[in-house]
Amino acid sequence: MCGVVGYIGNKEAAQILVDGLQRLEYRGYDSAGIAVLDDGKISSGKEMGRLANLERKLEKNPVSGTRGIGHTRWATHGAPSQANSHPHFSSDGAISVVHNGIIENYADLRDELSEQGHTFLSETDTEVVPHLIEQALKDGAASPAEALRCTLQKLRGAYALGVLFQCEPDTIYCARLGSPLIIGLGENENFIASDVPAIINRISEAIYLNDGEMAAIRADGVELCTVDGAAVIPEVKKIEFKAEDAEHAGFETFMLKEIHEQPRILRSMLEKHVSSDGTIDIGTDLSPDYFRKLNRIMIVSCGTAYHAGMYAKLLLENLTGIAVETDLASEFRYRDPKIDPGTLIIPVSQSGETADTLASIRMAKGWGCKIMAVCNVEGSSVVRESDATFFTNCGPEIGVASTKAYTAQQMAFALLSLYIAEVRGNLSRERVQAYLKDLNEVPDALHYVIQKKAEIQVIGEKHHDGPSSLYLGRRYNFPTALEGALKNKEISYQHAEGYAAGEMKHGPIALINEALPVICICTKTADEVYEKMLSNIKEVEARSGRIIAIVSEGDTELSKLTDDVIVVPAVRDEFSPIVNVGALQLLAYYAARARGTDIDKPRNLAKSVTVE
Ligand code: F6R
């Protein structure tokens, strides 16, 4: 969704702001703009489309000053247009605002302000904010800070705001409610950003603003208070990842880089959570006794993280015997789930900022449930609102299509399931060790699959041109089929559907013809569903479907059915999805590449879905 940056110091702000916005490009956007303050005057530049357009505009009409705010917009209220792009201004142009989030009561506020003589130049919800601040100053607010506070008290919805006042040139202001915002701390310069990668090359420490807080930021210091004016002592946190983590490192895209990072991430998760004597540490304060008494788990998440939740349900139920349900956060929050306070809620989220996942956490907290997140971003809202977190620690995921976060979530659930199974006595120590031995093979197996990318590329390119494709899997690999289809549609814009193979006869078999690529995940292990999967594949063959099979090493039978075979190492059934998905990520990747799409920033998508 929208990206926010801000700078105050003694360097030229424009370049720093554009650079920060470039680093936020991955969040998805349709227009961008900056406002810079110099000699008591704000000047600005905005442009539709890619940041390069804004840069060209700023070359022709430079703006100068050592403090400023910038924004990439992902349209919600009002189509992408010059007028709707941020920053927005007060009537007199003396107050400038950038905003991520949605002001839900903007229509009423706009009506009130119109009656007071304000005119609006955009269709956005954001534009009410500079006008409200202006009105508060007219109505006698003693200072810009007080005018901002009065304004915040009137806003309903979500915001991360950056505000520049012509009348207070040594300060930029920011405020947060429901949308992430950090303050980056430098030497005689400070920053604001909606996400760490925007400023990771410039800072090593940051303050994560809490909901209901605002800050006055000067080059030499930061003052925090609540919306009610109570002072807040800031908690300074060290940024754990490095600037290189948010760079291409020689790969043509972030997605390809992140696919390649997976084996290393999985290995380091195993090293971190499993000690040399085979003891699993899940890194949370929840006691073994808590898990012994637990009898129900509810997993909530969206998109790819939901597929990780589906995988987790199968694994947790199988290994721990606990009843587990999983739901899309966007459905969960609007149904009437029968959840008792003893249920453990597990929100799964890469970004930790997904609006529906956060709403589900808040609902469950209202019922008295304990919340244990599986999340990648320290300091994120999901982490802060949960009682405990299993961190996936896979570094910033910049490619919009989630890859490394997914396999790290799968690994987190594999470790969690084994830990719970052992403390509850569902699995003996010896059996857990046997599982861990097999889990340890997974990073190398995934590495092996990634090394086959040239082969996978040939298959991806061969089948990239159809209007649609079907992904089939069973049991542990049913979520893999859904995830493969999601990857394909996100980045190649080809319609793709994931199905439980056993459902074929109940409808989708009607789709099969010689034009339809059918991606069949049929890795051969001890899993009883292998034979069933094989029958499904024969049904596709009988109807001349184009079969692309993901098969285990040594499976000669399946390899006979089709030329398009991706052979992967055989690992334990329960862990095969972590390996198999690597093949599907690459298949989608090369299909998208052949279709010439913008793989890291697919159309219409945003990396972090902070609004409903
Ligand atoms: C798919 C993808 C999305 C996210 C979903 C949840 O590739 O990236 O489907 O998985 O928006 O996001 P998080 O995990 O940040 O809550």
Side-chain angles (χ1 to χ4, degrees), residues 302-305 348-354 357 397 400-402 409 483 486-487 490 606-609:
C302 304
T304 287
V348 189
S349 178
Q350 187 286 126
S351 63
E353 302 296 347
T354 302
T357 308
E397 191 179 62
V400 162
S402 189
Q409 285 157 0
E483 177 59 10
L486 179 63
K487 286 293 87 86
E490 277 182 295
K607 182 65 186 163
S608 160
V609 185

Side-chain angles (χ1 to χ4, degrees), residues 551-603:
V551 309
S552 301
E553 264 167 348
D555 188 337
T556 45
E557 185 166 359
L558 251 178
S559 304
K560 275 187 235 143
L561 283 183
T562 170
D563 294 339
D564 297 325
V565 173
I566 303 171
V567 179
V568 301
V571 294
R572 190 188 270 266
D573 300 335
E574 289 88 334
F575 306 140
S576 64
I578 316 179
V579 176
N580 296 346
V581 77
L584 301 186
Q585 292 166 345
L586 286 165
L587 201 58
Y589 184 87
Y590 288 112
R593 198 164 174 269
R595 289 166 80 99
T597 62
D598 187 348
I599 291 180
D600 277 339
K601 298 185 282 291
R603 70 183 179 205

Side-chain angles (χ1 to χ4, degrees), residues 311 435 437-446 448-449 476-477 523-527 551-553 568-580:
Y311 168 65
Y435 271 96
K437 187 167 163 293
D438 294 343
L439 191 56
N440 263 302
E441 287 173 5
V442 164
D444 284 351
L446 181 55
Y448 176 90
V449 171
Y476 289 113
N477 281 300
T523 39
K524 185 173 191 173
T525 53
D527 195 325
V551 309
S552 301
E553 264 167 348
V568 301
V571 294
R572 190 188 270 266
D573 300 335
E574 289 88 334
F575 306 140
S576 64
I578 316 179
V579 176
N580 296 346

